[in-house]
Amino acid sequence: MPSVADRAAPAIVADGLVKRFGGALALDGVSLAAPEGSVLCLLGPNGAGKTTVVRTLTTLLPPDSGRASVAGYDVVREAGRVRAAIGVTGQFTAVDDLMTGTQNLVMVARLGGFSRQAARSRAAELLDLLGLSEAAGRLVRTYSGGMRRRLDLAACLVRRPRVLFLDEPTTGLDPRSRGELWSLVLDVVAKGTTVLLTTQYLEEADRLADDVVVLDRGRVVVTGPPRQLKQRVGGHRVEFHPPDRSRADAVARAATALTGRPAAADGDVVRMNLDEAAAFPDVARRLMDAGLVVGEISLGYPSLDEVFLALTGRPRAGALAEGAADDAGH
Ligand SMILES: Nc1ncnc2c1ncn2[C@@H]1O[C@H](COP(=O)(O)OP(=O)(O)O)[C@@H](O)[C@H]1O
Ligand SMILES: [Mg+2]
């Protein structure tokens, strides 16, 4: 199956990017490509090099070696042209707390060369698109976290960028704000913008990406459409607690026998892989009818740790240390 990157003119191309900070290798030969009008997700844990890729592609950081172009321009030799063609959340835009939503967007538009009239109408149009019309006249300092992210995104969209970079746009957002931001990204892409988005969530990559680049310790682990990634990682995860928490092993065996799908106990939780989310209602009903489930049974995505284990055969860098820190902290 050809990836989207093979089919259209690339809006983003990186070839062998290397970046060192002191002795540390942050990027160790990163290559990727995104065709025009597509969404490329960079999926990786903290420290994988995602922000360093974004900073390189947005001209903020020259690579030590390798090359990259965005919107057809070289990020080092034609940095000015790249900057004119892109939007970056959280970098070029800084929303001002002491101004209203409208005032922020009008200011960005005026700085971008819009007339007063055009700036006002572009601001109103974007506030409407991002569902902020009602809050347009309020000071930004009264906005929720999700509203601020949307305003930040609006500020990036003022000049209709050809390529939009979103560095972990939904980290720390509640599920509803996350869902709203996802639909906005899809709207923007439908209008022809190419998006490079970094994330730590497989679910986000699955919902948004045409292609996913999994990054670990500055290297590309795998590149491909989300479907291919999920096939390798095992699709969805079903999770539930058995009635007697000390007998999760026995319940996992019973669940395997009942459904024909391998289930495994992890502490007092039973987990099962499902390739297709559509099979979930039937599987859940059979497990519940057999009395194997107490409380909730949930369908979710594999965690980033599971993705890395499945792809690389080893825990991702830092996972063990973080687990130990979590245990100490809670
Ligand atoms: N300005 C910097 N100076 C020194 N080290 C840096 C700098 N920026 C990033 N790094 C290091 O490079 C690696 C990749 O960082 P980063 O690109 O921020 O990862 P991510 O965004 O995936 O969390 C990390 O080990 C980080 O500590
Ligand atoms: Mg980062």
Side-chain angles (χ1 to χ4, degrees), residues 58-322:
T58 56
T59 77
L60 298 173
L61 194 69
D64 296 339
S65 64
R67 42 188 296 160
S69 69
V70 171
Y73 303 115
D74 187 278
V75 298
V76 175
R77 286 181 288 107
E78 300 170 294
R81 286 175 185 266
V82 171
R83 283 183 203 186
I86 64 175
V88 191
T89 56
Q91 301 269 2
F92 294 161
T93 63
V95 295
D96 188 332
D97 262 6
L98 297 175
M99 300 202 302
T100 66
T102 298
Q103 286 168 341
N104 266 287
L105 294 190
V106 167
M107 182 188 71
V108 171
R110 294 287 280 153
L111 290 172
F114 285 58
S115 71
R116 185 173 307 205
Q117 180 66 39
R120 289 199 162 278
S121 79
R122 184 72 178 139
E125 182 188 358
L126 285 168
L127 288 162
D128 185 43
L129 175 74
L130 300 202
L132 290 169
S133 291
E134 277 177 29
R138 271 169 42 197
L139 294 183
V140 171
R141 75 164 175 223
T142 69
Y143 283 21
S144 68
M147 291 164 77
R148 299 173 77 98
R149 296 285 174 103
R150 280 183 277 154
L151 186 65
D152 191 31
L153 182 55
C156 288
L157 294 175
V158 165
R159 290 179 310 136
R160 304 179 203 278
R162 288 170 59 191
V163 184
L164 180 62
F165 293 88
L166 303 171
D167 194 3
E168 297 201 31
T170 68
T171 296
L173 290 188
D174 60 68
R176 189 173 139 221
S177 305
R178 181 170 291 167
E180 286 170 359
L181 208 127
W182 289 344
S183 54
L184 283 171
V185 170
L186 293 173
D187 279 355
V188 168
V189 173
K191 295 200 169 82
T193 297
T194 306
V195 173
L196 183 147
L197 175 142
T198 77
T199 185
Q200 302 198 31
Y201 307 108
L202 179 60
E203 180 178 11
E204 187 154 284
D206 185 30
R207 296 285 178 95
L208 296 179
D210 293 298
D211 275 316
V212 183
V213 170
V214 180
L215 205 61
D216 186 31
R217 296 191 275 200
R219 289 175 183 233
V220 174
V221 177
V222 65
T223 301
R227 190 170 18 81
Q228 213 172 54
L229 183 60
K230 284 193 300 174
Q231 272 164 9
R232 291 182 58 176
V233 177
H236 299 264
R237 292 282 184 280
V238 176
E239 257 187 43
F240 60 94
H241 287 290
D244 177 350
R245 295 196 172 203
S246 66
R247 291 178 37 84
D249 272 319
V251 167
R253 281 195 297 276
T256 305
L258 186 68
T259 62
R261 298 166 194 271
D266 179 6
D268 61 2
V269 177
V270 179
R271 291 206 176 88
M272 181 184 275
N273 285 348
L274 278 192
D275 291 336
E276 287 303 321
F280 177 66
D282 179 52
V283 165
R285 176 147 306 285
R286 287 160 72 180
L287 295 170
M288 288 192 291
D289 286 350
L292 299 179
V293 177
V294 68
E296 291 185 353
I297 177 164
S298 65
L299 179 69
Y301 282 79
S303 70
L304 195 53
D305 287 336
E306 292 173 284
V307 172
F308 274 81
L309 194 59
L311 292 177
T312 63
R314 57 167 173 74
R316 69 173 170 83
L320 293 173
E322 277 165 34

Side-chain angles (χ1 to χ4, degrees), residues 46-47 50-52 167-168 198:
N46 270 328
K50 302 182 298 297
T51 297
T52 304
D167 194 3
E168 297 201 31
T198 77

